[in-house]
Amino acid sequence: MLKIVERHFTDTYDREGPDIVCSMDEKALTELINASEVIPLMMGGEKRHLDAEQVTIDFAFASVVTIKDVKKGEPFTSENIWVKRPGNGEIRAEEFDEILGKIAECDIESDSQLEYKMIKKSRLSILDIKKEQE
């Protein structure tokens, strides 16, 4: 994929004009070219968090939890589940919509973090695939 960057260029910042402040000189152009060669290399590979970031992740992210008691056989709805901190539960907030409509495999007390084993397998879903990959 071809990507183009348009920049104003000046031989000196001593000139006057409206475009001088947003122009680049020879040194800035060299830095831009060098960075353009390094950035694609930095974007490759697998994104992982550092071990030191785990405390922040647990606090900042959310898990799917029950907000009311849920009885075995009852469907999960926005009336009985929601997302709350901390994000150290098995099912992350971004999977909330996938849980809606699924059926409880067991009785679950209010304010419990949901786990895959608490959800009845009714059909193959993204949750099933993720669990099998673990």
Side-chain angles (χ1 to χ4, degrees), residues 26-52:
E26 186 177 348
K27 179 179 182 240
L29 178 61
T30 300
E31 292 171 356
L32 176 66
I33 291 169
N34 290 339
S36 72
E37 294 168 351
V38 174
I39 289 172
L41 299 173
M42 295 167 47
M43 293 175 66
E46 179 183 340
K47 180 169 173 35
R48 297 180 294 128
H49 68 270
L50 300 174
D51 291 341

Side-chain angles (χ1 to χ4, degrees), residues 47-113:
K47 180 169 173 35
R48 297 180 294 128
H49 68 270
L50 300 174
D51 291 341
E53 295 174 303
Q54 189 62 51
V55 172
T56 303
I57 289 168
D58 289 347
F59 171 76
F61 289 82
S63 301
V64 178
V65 300
T66 55
I67 54 174
K68 291 183 178 176
D69 289 345
V70 179
K71 298 291 183 195
K72 180 179 180 175
E74 186 178 339
F76 293 108
T77 69
S78 58
E79 301 295 319
N80 61 19
I81 62 170
W82 193 239
V83 296
K84 290 171 56 174
R85 290 181 176 170
N88 59 359
E90 187 174 9
I91 303 176
R92 295 285 175 110
E94 57 263 18
E95 298 178 73
F96 177 79
D97 288 337
E98 288 288 323
I99 303 296
L100 294 174
K102 293 204 175 279
I103 306 298
E105 181 69 37
C106 57
D107 290 344
I108 309 166
E109 292 182 11
S110 181
D111 205 33
S112 298
Q113 291 182 337

Side-chain angles (χ1 to χ4, degrees), residues 111-125:
D111 205 33
S112 298
Q113 291 182 337
L114 281 186
E115 299 174 17
Y116 294 111
K117 67 183 180 184
M118 298 172 172
I119 302 167
K120 186 172 186 169
K121 288 187 178 185
S122 56
R123 55 187 159 81
L124 189 61
S125 70

